Amino acid sequence: MADVMTMEAIHATADRLNIDLSALDFDSIHLPPSEDFGIASDDDDLKGEESLEFEEGFGNIIVVDNLPVVAKEKFEKLEGVVRKIYSQIGIIKEDGLWMPVDPDTQKTLGYCFIEYNTPQEAELAKEKTNGYKLDRSHIFAVNMFDDIEKFMKVPEEWAPPEAKPYTPGENLQKWLTDEKARDQFVIHAGSDTEVLWNDARQSKPELVYKKTYWTESFVQWSPLGTYLATVHRQGAAVWGGATAFNRLMRYPHPQVKLIDFSPGEKFLVTYSSHEPSNPRDTHRVVINIFDVRTGKVMRDFKGSADEFAVGGTGGVSGVSWPVFRWGGGKEDKYFARIGKNVVSVYETETFTLIDKKSMKVENVVDFSWSPTDPILALFVPELGGGNQPARVSLVQIPSKEELRQKNLFSVSDCKMYWQSNGDYLAVKVDRYTKTKKSTYTGFELFRIKERDIPIEVLELENKNDKIIAFAWEPKGHRFAVIHGEHPKPDVSFYSMRSATNTGRVSKLATIKGKQANALFWSPTGRFIILAGLKTLNGQLEFYNVDELETMAQAEHFMATDVEWDPTGRYVVTAVTSVHEMENGFNVWSFNGKLLYRILKDHFFQFLWRPRPQSFLTAEKEEEIAKNLKKYSKKYEAEDQDVSMLLSEQDREKRKMVKEEWARWVNEWKRLHEEDKLERQKLRDGEVSDEEEEYEAKEVEIEELLNVSEEVITVD
């Protein structure tokens, strides 16, 4: 608002400025039109900006319908009952319960509004009390307030949806047709995420796509490499395309922290955890299962963190991740979770429990699916001080028939390892000695595809050896074990076959004193890396299990990760940001030759892009292997051409460097010649620049800097 002056103030100002107001003709003064009189305001630049958006919506309010209709004298009693029910779920805001009253009859209208502190509490209240039976005549119908407007917009008459013309999508597998048969990988460093080709022939990566702030936490490939998923505060998204990475679908889930794809890429599981209003309560967990292609929520699960904390190997806020584990191979038919004394198995046709009930398994603590078949392996520990033994059971789904069971005695811990084809299951069993003061380890080996599923017991030669690592050979019959004491344990290789009996486990070899604490088989088998990570400072040994010989030994100081490419041709070792120095990755050949090295500050992730299973039959692969020399001639010629090209490029580079050096030397000589007379003057007329022609003499010069007199009085 403009300032207003009184006439007295105007006259006083005129007198101070020596202005005679009586001589002024006010009618002759014409002010510019408009409120600002044509004078631009300092705030005009704000008018062009977008108006502030205030958060709208009522996500923390629920509507409870089907309440009793009561008179005014029973109002407080009904309000007290409703408040008691809903305050157990979350904190109701002050004046947050409103029960409308009919002004004519002074009776309630049969519904109320309840406002919580957070939308999560409101959602939980809806989930827990929708269908709550107050009495025989009053069953609560609870809805979110935000949904009311949506319900009001439903038309009275059904109309068929508008038919949209079909537009063909991009070929999301086009990257598999690369003429050089290269593999892609993604790296996440700082705020940048990059997808690159691994061009081993050129000894460097080739950029495919780069984006800054592509994700807010991490990225993840889908299991078959079709999609790249990113994670944001509002939810997750998947990207893909023939030539670039376009966003294909969004999956809204506020504050999402973790994601997980089903093996066949049909579904995406998202997870979030929310702080409770009451510090004494546990975190509120929300899990959504989306259809990847449509983005539709197929099923959601909500509850406290305690409800999802049983089983698993790790997670956040006390919740084991993944909460749901997928079974049935790439068909994505079943998923399951473990609960207290139950294993809940769901089928994806209706997203409901098989037979509408969970499997009751007293004290079950862990389970795992076969990678290829709908078979569950369950582990139940000992009970009653050893009176009831521990056991491992194999259960067929969906019939829930127990295929095999093995009782185990004096068990302290148990861990299960499936072979990638589902042919074998290894159960590592830690047992107490008779004194109960120490433990020793053995293996129970299940032959899943054989009749009656025979089980074989394997114990190490030194039963007291600590098992540091175990790994099956992918698609093979061998496995490796690191056992013994740090810093130099032994590594043993075993086969599920022997020379005389294919149904008998046999030891192939033991190599002594290796600086290794992790095993990384090539995806195609045969080759393995014995890695010493973390405290062993990145020691690497490339080992050929067929020949039982070391191909190479190397080191990647402070390496935190080892990742084989899906073809088994190359392997990457990486130092991620858990270390402050030397962040980046090295690319090696399968036999241990360092191909190139990339340094990246704040390096968070390296992930090879997975490949789908080959369409070649086993017979075709065998035929290719037999005629490999014939096929390899073409690629050897291409490699030779590339090598010659690289040699030519190196020669051109050396030539350019040499020419640049010659130009610099000539320029230096020119400048030296221009300064010749100046140098001659400095040498008192001597012409030569050669130091050998001069005799060096040392001359001492005394210089008087200061003289002072001081009179000293002698008493």
Side-chain angles (χ1 to χ4, degrees), residues 299 344-347 350-358:
R299 177 75 191 261
S344 301
V345 184
Y346 302 81
E347 49 86 18
T350 62
F351 279 85
T352 58
L353 288 167
I354 292 178
D355 298 333
K356 298 183 180 180
K357 60 183 179 180
S358 299

Side-chain angles (χ1 to χ4, degrees), residues 324-587:
F324 293 102
R325 305 179 202 176
W326 294 88
K330 299 291 190 295
E331 296 179 1
D332 295 346
K333 279 189 174 183
Y334 309 105
F335 62 99
R337 57 169 286 208
I338 193 171
K340 188 174 181 180
N341 299 324
V342 296
V343 175
S344 301
V345 184
Y346 302 81
E347 49 86 18
T348 55
E349 187 173 346
T350 62
F351 279 85
T352 58
L353 288 167
I354 292 178
D355 298 333
K356 298 183 180 180
K357 60 183 179 180
S358 299
M359 289 193 302
K360 290 187 177 181
V361 185
E362 289 293 326
N363 297 292
V364 61
V365 296
D366 196 13
F367 79 98
S368 61
W369 285 97
S370 162
T372 54
D373 302 296
I375 298 175
L376 274 176
L378 308 174
F379 171 62
V380 177
E382 285 185 352
L383 298 174
N387 293 327
Q388 182 176 331
R391 72 177 189 275
V392 173
S393 301
L394 297 177
V395 179
Q396 182 77 50
I397 299 298
S399 65
K400 301 181 183 179
E401 175 191 356
E402 187 173 69
L403 303 176
R404 192 73 159 87
Q405 177 181 309
K406 179 65 183 288
N407 290 333
L408 307 169
F409 298 90
S410 301
V411 174
S412 68
D413 194 16
C414 177
K415 193 168 183 181
M416 297 177 285
Y417 303 89
W418 282 95
Q419 184 252 12
S420 62
N421 285 348
D423 294 336
Y424 311 109
L425 171 67
V427 180
K428 180 174 77 74
V429 183
D430 296 332
R431 289 184 168 93
Y432 291 109
T433 59
K434 292 182 178 180
T435 61
K436 301 285 186 179
K437 293 181 179 180
S438 61
T439 60
Y440 65 96
T441 303
F443 293 92
E444 305 283 336
L445 303 172
F446 292 70
R447 299 177 183 271
I448 305 297
K449 302 294 176 70
E450 296 182 20
R451 184 178 178 181
D452 298 329
I453 311 182
I455 303 171
E456 192 170 352
V457 178
L458 172 66
E459 291 185 349
L460 302 178
E461 292 178 1
N462 184 354
K463 290 171 51 175
N464 296 321
D465 273 1
K466 179 183 177 183
I467 304 297
I468 298 170
F470 175 96
W472 283 104
E473 177 185 27
K475 304 176 184 179
H477 55 86
R478 296 176 289 198
F479 60 90
V481 183
I482 301 179
H483 55 94
E485 297 297 329
H486 283 297
K488 289 190 174 183
D490 299 336
V491 182
S492 295
F493 297 95
Y494 295 86
S495 172
M496 293 297 286
R497 306 170 185 169
S498 65
T500 56
N501 186 354
T502 58
R504 191 81 183 155
V505 67
S506 61
K507 186 168 80 168
L508 303 176
T510 294
I511 47 180
K512 299 285 187 179
K514 294 297 177 180
Q515 287 186 298
N517 54 18
L519 299 163
F520 299 94
W521 283 95
S522 163
T524 57
R526 184 180 178 184
F527 306 114
I528 191 172
I529 293 177
L530 315 177
L533 305 180
K534 299 178 181 177
T535 57
L536 296 181
N537 292 328
Q539 299 294 321
L540 305 170
E541 182 166 342
F542 296 78
Y543 196 80
N544 184 337
V545 183
D546 279 2
E547 304 297 331
L548 296 176
E549 64 181 13
T550 298
M551 298 182 290
Q553 289 181 319
E555 180 185 38
H556 186 177
F557 185 61
M558 296 191 298
T560 56
D561 300 88
V562 177
E563 295 280 348
W564 282 91
D565 86 320
T567 65
R569 296 175 295 173
Y570 307 103
V571 65
V572 158
T573 56
V575 179
T576 56
S577 59
V578 294
H579 295 298
E580 295 182 359
M581 299 174 60
E582 299 293 326
N583 281 194
F585 61 94
N586 294 353
V587 178

Side-chain angles (χ1 to χ4, degrees), residues 646-700:
L646 290 175
S647 298
E648 183 64 29
Q649 289 174 349
D650 287 341
R651 283 194 293 271
E652 288 294 325
K653 187 177 180 180
R654 287 195 297 270
K655 182 180 177 182
M656 290 174 61
V657 171
K658 187 176 180 181
E659 290 174 352
E660 184 180 353
W661 167 254
R663 284 194 299 270
W664 185 88
V665 170
N666 292 334
E667 179 66 13
W668 184 87
K669 288 180 177 179
R670 184 185 66 79
L671 294 174
H672 187 264
E673 189 65 27
E674 288 179 358
D675 295 339
K676 183 175 182 179
L677 292 177
E678 188 67 25
R679 293 194 305 276
Q680 188 174 343
K681 288 179 183 179
L682 293 172
R683 292 193 296 261
D684 296 331
E686 292 292 338
V687 178
S688 177
D689 288 328
E690 300 298 329
E691 292 185 8
E692 292 81 3
E693 297 182 10
Y694 296 93
E695 183 179 349
K697 294 183 178 180
E698 291 186 5
V699 179
E700 292 186 3

Side-chain angles (χ1 to χ4, degrees), residues 104-121:
D104 296 330
T105 63
Q106 291 299 304
K107 290 184 177 182
T108 60
L109 295 175
Y111 60 89
C112 73
F113 301 89
I114 300 175
E115 184 177 6
Y116 284 101
N117 276 341
T118 66
Q120 290 76 29
E121 290 174 327

